[in-house]
Structure formats: C-alpha cells, structure tokens
Amino acid sequence: MSVDETARAALESRADGVPAADLAAAFLEFRRWTGSDPLLLVAEAAAAATGQGFLDGVKPAVERFRDAFVATGRVTSFSDLAALERDDDDLVAALGARRTRAVCCDIAAVLADSPAEDDLAALIDWAETADHYRHESDPIGSIAGVGPGTFQYLRQLAGVDTPRPDPTLEKLLSAVDDDCESSPIDTATARRTIASCEWLAVVSGYRPLEIDRIAWWRATEPAEREAVLEAARP
C-alpha cells in the first residue's frame, strides 16, 4: 500500500468505535455546556491555559465566573471583561491563577476592538481567519500565556475545524507514523503536529477536529471520558 493508504488504514483502525463526527459537531455547532456565549468560551480557553483538567479545574472555574459576572450582569460584553482589574476579588475567586485572569481579560481586550456586529461574531471572525502557523504574530497568540494549545483550543471553542497540539494528538499521530514505513508525520513542535494532523485529514477523509477527538477518546479512560462528556453536555 502507499503511505496514504497505510496511514488511512492506521487511523481507521484507531477510530473504530469512536463517535468522531458527533464529538467534533459538539464544538462546530456550539452544542456544549457553554453554548455560544462568547464570554464563557473565552473564559473556558483561559481556564484551560494552565493545563488543569476539565472536570476538576476548567468547568468549576468557568461556572464561578459565570455566576459572579455573567449571571449578575456585571459583565455583559468583551469590553466589560477587558475593563476588569486583574486583581478584582471576584475574578480572583472565580478564576484563581493570575495567568488565567490575565489571559481571559487580555483576550477580551483584543476582541473588544473588533468591528464585528457583536461579541460572538468578533470571536468567530477572529477564529476563522487566525493563522496557527504564525500564532505568535497574532494579537491573541502574542498574549503572554497563550501558547499554541490555548490558541487552537479557543479556535475550536469558536467552532473552527482545527486540531489542538497536545500530548494526546501527538500520541495518536506517532502511532499512525509507526504503522507506516515512512510518512511526513512529525510531532517535534506544535506547528509540525498541526501540519501532520492536517496531512492525515487529507489522506484519511476525517476532519482535523475529528482526528483531535479520536486522539482524546483513545487517550482517556472510559469512566473519565463519560464523566467529561456528561459534564460538557448542554
């Protein structure tokens, strides 16, 4: 078989039993617990920037942020969020780490300057046009604390079909590469990991985000997987 055929077969064997299309659609169609609320989407990306787990870190932080700021009407826009003091007591109580607070407010400050008609449109417009191969020169990618993983996760949350370079994706791509006599797959850097996923998407017919979700599914224990899926449902 050609390298394309071998890689496709290698991915298909690992995708067996994984509801990849549905997992990806939850992001692409805003069918997650945050819905299409742009404030919560930015808060989730910021909360994930420090590498904490979804169940015991990210979701509780975003829930505290929602209850303290969104539900009370204290923050109704990116402009409001950007104007918060980073050491605001309620923000500290909600999001914890200064890095998380700064990332959340700094992203909001960038998006608040968008000419889009509303905040959700501003987030989507940015996410659809952002270049992950030049993320450091992007106004959001250049924010301290926003690495390639956070950059890509925010784009996923905004409904973009793109992968997030993380250890689960690297592990899947490396396994596919091991099944091939030779392939262009390279996970040495975040950019190369993304490029390798995009190549695999082309040769396999799977979306990049579907491959991302296959990687997460395969790397996550069944009990934790089900708990995360339940917690992420609308």
Side-chain angles (χ1 to χ4, degrees):
M1 290 192 293
S2 69
V3 63
D4 289 6
E5 293 170 327
T6 303
R8 179 168 59 249
L11 179 61
E12 287 176 346
S13 70
R14 292 169 173 84
D16 186 40
V18 181
D22 287 343
L23 294 173
F27 285 84
L28 298 172
E29 300 170 8
F30 300 100
R31 291 195 281 104
R32 297 177 68 257
W33 73 288
T34 44
S36 58
D37 187 320
L39 295 169
L40 299 186
L41 296 172
V42 167
E44 181 170 346
T50 55
Q52 59 186 335
F54 179 77
L55 291 173
D56 59 359
V58 174
K59 186 176 181 183
V62 179
E63 287 177 328
R64 292 192 298 267
F65 171 82
R66 179 195 62 198
D67 294 346
F69 294 99
V70 181
T72 61
R74 184 177 172 192
V75 168
T76 62
S77 67
F78 284 146
S79 294
D80 291 344
L81 179 53
L84 288 177
E85 293 292 334
R86 304 320 187 241
D87 292 326
D88 178 277
D89 288 344
D90 290 335
L91 192 63
V92 173
L95 298 183
R98 181 170 182 82
R99 174 178 173 178
T100 302
R101 289 176 271 134
V103 166
C104 188
C105 295
D106 290 350
I107 290 174
V110 171
L111 295 173
D113 286 338
S114 169
E117 62 183 14
D118 57 42
D119 283 349
L120 179 60
L123 175 59
I124 292 173
D125 285 353
W126 167 80
E128 290 180 341
T129 58
D131 184 352
H132 45 259
Y133 291 114
R134 295 178 177 82
H135 95 276
E136 290 139 334
S137 62
D138 182 276
I140 288 179
S142 63
I143 293 171
V146 178
T150 301
F151 186 85
Q152 287 295 91
Y153 190 48
L154 180 58
R155 296 182 70 218
Q156 288 179 340
L157 292 172
V160 175
D161 178 19
T162 195
R164 178 186 185 184
D166 68 3
T168 66
L169 183 60
E170 292 169 11
K171 183 177 179 181
L172 176 65
L173 292 171
S174 295
V176 170
D177 183 50
D178 288 343
D179 285 357
C180 300
E181 195 168 313
S182 66
S183 85
I185 291 175
D186 183 346
T187 60
T189 67
R191 287 186 181 89
R192 292 178 182 180
T193 297
I194 294 170
S196 296
C197 183
E198 292 177 336
W199 171 80
L200 186 56
V202 170
V203 303
S204 69
Y206 283 89
R207 289 177 177 268
L209 185 53
E210 290 175 347
I211 297 173
D212 177 285
R213 294 295 82 200
I214 293 167
W216 170 78
W217 182 282
R218 297 279 301 182
T220 308
E221 291 294 328
E224 180 183 355
R225 195 166 62 212
E226 290 308 311
V228 169
L229 291 176
E230 179 60 33
R233 290 190 179 99

